[in-house]
Amino acid sequence: MIFGLKSDFAIEAYCDWIDDDKKYVFGRMCCWSNGKPLGDIDEADCMLDVTAVFFESLLKRLDQLENSVLNELSDSQLYKFIDCKIYEDDERSIDQVISDAETYYKYDFLTNGGESFDCSKSFILVDGNFCRILFNDDRSKENVFTRVSKTGFISAVSDFLLWYEAAKSK
């Protein structure tokens, strides 16, 4: 199933219907941002619960992801800046690393968000009526910088979460 528009923002997800007493939902999924795939739709038997919990949390804090100073940066500068603040091992003190992680980790988007996203690193920022989604795929080594409508993003995530809840109750 595809929730949203691939040309804007969409989530593509399918259930694998594995018998599970705990009602976990397994399947395949990826996101589409301006027609560019984020995640591996061919990665089978992924636990979609991890990603669903992430999306639920993200919707609740989406308005906290607007930062006028960071939105002044180009996409490339922004990706490098957040990547460095969260993931780079550099000359910062441990206290500064902890402070930076606490400040900037909220911009992380689906990095470690489920097996489908194991080969990617991604960030999200809100810029007015848009979401800036910046990601790198380890397989292609390509940096992808996109801007999607905030309403399209919210709609796709909300529709995915409704589908996930229905799949969970089966």
Side-chain angles (χ1 to χ4, degrees):
M1 300 214 43
I2 297 176
F3 309 96
L5 299 172
K6 285 184 175 183
S7 61
D8 185 33
F9 183 82
I11 299 171
E12 184 173 0
Y14 305 95
C15 271
D16 288 340
W17 303 116
I18 297 172
D19 279 335
D20 178 40
D21 295 342
K22 296 179 180 161
K23 298 287 186 186
Y24 293 129
V25 178
F26 291 90
R28 300 175 291 119
M29 75 175 302
C30 76
C31 294
W32 293 89
S33 188
N34 294 151
K36 300 284 189 174
L38 168 59
D40 183 359
I41 194 64
D42 295 322
E43 180 74 34
D45 302 328
C46 297
M47 187 177 197
L48 302 183
D49 304 77
V50 174
T51 311
V53 168
F54 173 82
F55 275 131
E56 287 172 350
S57 171
L58 181 61
L59 282 185
K60 291 176 187 170
R61 61 185 176 80
L62 195 60
D63 288 330
Q64 298 170 20
L65 301 182
E66 186 147 13
N67 181 312
S68 59
V69 174
L70 293 180
N71 277 323
E72 296 282 324
L73 299 175
S74 72
D75 292 332
S76 180
Q77 290 170 326
L78 180 60
Y79 184 92
K80 288 176 187 171
F81 179 82
I82 295 175
D83 186 38
C84 179
K85 294 296 185 185
I86 299 173
Y87 295 110
E88 291 297 315
D89 183 13
D90 55 20
E91 302 298 319
R92 294 173 292 168
S93 69
I94 190 67
D95 290 337
Q96 188 60 51
V97 168
I98 291 168
S99 175
D100 286 345
E102 289 171 350
T103 301
Y104 297 103
Y105 190 75
K106 66 183 177 182
Y107 301 110
D108 188 72
F109 180 63
L110 295 173
T111 307
N112 302 313
E115 296 97 329
S116 297
F117 306 100
D118 282 349
C119 292
S120 61
K121 187 186 303 181
S122 54
F123 307 111
I124 184 170
L125 232 81
V126 172
D127 186 4
N129 293 324
F130 297 92
C131 295
R132 294 172 72 181
I133 298 176
L134 316 167
F135 59 96
N136 177 284
D137 186 314
D138 287 346
R139 294 164 302 204
S140 69
K141 304 292 185 208
E142 178 185 13
N143 286 332
V144 178
F145 307 131
T146 64
R147 186 175 297 262
V148 302
S149 71
K150 186 177 171 186
T151 55
F153 179 85
I154 292 169
S155 178
V157 171
S158 298
D159 289 348
F160 165 76
L161 290 172
L162 288 172
W163 172 83
Y164 162 79
E165 287 299 327
K168 194 172 167 179
S169 65
K170 287 187 178 188

